[in-house]
Amino acid sequence: IYGKIKFDDATLMDDTTSRRSFGSLDMKGKYFYINSKIFAGKEKFAQITGTTRPYYGKECNLKVVTSKNMDLALFHEKLLALRDMIGFKITPVEDMKFIGKGDLSLSFTGKFKDINIKGKINFVNTKLSYKTLSKPIDNVFGSITFKGDRLFYDNLKGLMEKSKLVVSGYTTLKAYSDVDIYAPDKSLHTIIDLVNKSQLLKPVKKALTIIEKANGRGELKLNLKGNPDDLFTKGKITIKNATLKLRDISTPIYQVKGSISFENDKVDFSNKLFGVMAKSPIVLSGKIKDQISDLLLTSPKMDTEAVYNMINTSPSLVGVKKSLKDYSNFDGYTESKIYLNGDVTSTHLFQKGIF
């Protein structure tokens, strides 16, 4: 292919403040030569230079550079256009959206199927969204560093619904990830909502099906490892002082403290949760695996009247309710155990109680 596309003295649409942009695409047989500088403001620009062989050899040697405080949304547009023109993947950047300022310097070398990228994207008070994550991260500061076929998240710091979030680890251009997400003090409602609405966190959603609602604060540690179609999730939620409502149980657990560990759809309460339920101090322990629960709720001093009312108004306690059908009321306190065994998606979850 031979020919040349050239533009000079150009401006972006409706932009009267920018310097004039220029550029060219010179096609000389197997090689395409690119040299362009696009301005978006007086001293703000994105520049693309280098050569590529898009049909014969399918390789390139390109450099992309921007000025400081560049509109990253504009850069993202140009980068995706470059991807489409040349034909290589830049996962996961192509699945992200940027709104805000920053700068970058990137080089692309080698065969398209095994592209080598070096450089860095710096974020300055940027809003970052990822297509399989339901909530954006605001006020992002930090950088993504490219080394070969990997993107390293250099302790990206931002806010998710006004709470601090830190992202570290790496993702390859073929979408394999080993990423840590850390939130030192986050709304439990936000955590549960994020899990329930994010395609990326689908395995965790299964694990936490038993929790219907959560209010209060907690610390989240989450590791994502693998490919999108085979992602291993591991994490821990440390609860400081919260209210939890278990699915199909009429009475919430108040003043909850402790931690919940999970691996994919396996949940571990072995560190125990402590709280107050039905006017009684309780301890929740045990595990959930493959959505089958093996949990134990104990109390050294349970208010029998409050628990009796809870059993009669909770769909998941139908098994216990049947065993108490010959009793009309309770009064006083007793040591007790309630076994939470069964499918967490069933309305007949809790089958046995000892008082």
Side-chain angles (χ1 to χ4, degrees), residues 265-285:
D265 61 353
K266 176 184 176 183
V267 190
D268 190 346
F269 294 89
S270 60
N271 290 328
K272 299 180 180 179
L273 288 180
F274 299 85
V276 176
M277 186 180 196
K279 302 179 182 179
S280 310
I282 61 97
V283 178
L284 180 64
S285 59

Side-chain angles (χ1 to χ4, degrees), residues 41-98:
K42 290 183 179 179
E43 299 298 331
K44 297 176 183 178
F45 65 85
Q47 187 170 17
I48 304 173
T49 57
T51 61
T52 178
R53 297 173 66 189
Y55 304 112
Y56 300 95
K58 294 189 176 181
E59 60 185 355
C60 69
N61 185 359
L62 294 169
K63 186 171 284 188
V64 181
V65 179
T66 72
S67 60
K68 300 288 185 183
N69 294 317
M70 180 68 178
D71 181 347
L72 287 178
L74 177 63
F75 144 73
H76 196 250
E77 256 179 48
K78 306 309 177 204
L79 191 61
L80 294 183
L82 181 66
R83 173 206 63 183
D84 295 338
M85 182 176 71
I86 295 174
F88 56 77
K89 286 188 173 293
I90 46 173
T91 307
V93 174
E94 60 190 46
D95 295 328
M96 296 178 178
K97 288 185 179 180
F98 309 127

Side-chain angles (χ1 to χ4, degrees), residues 27-45:
M27 295 167 281
K28 294 183 177 181
K30 298 177 182 179
Y31 290 91
F32 287 14
Y33 296 85
I34 301 170
N35 182 17
S36 66
K37 195 168 186 177
I38 301 168
F39 286 89
K42 290 183 179 179
E43 299 298 331
K44 297 176 183 178
F45 65 85

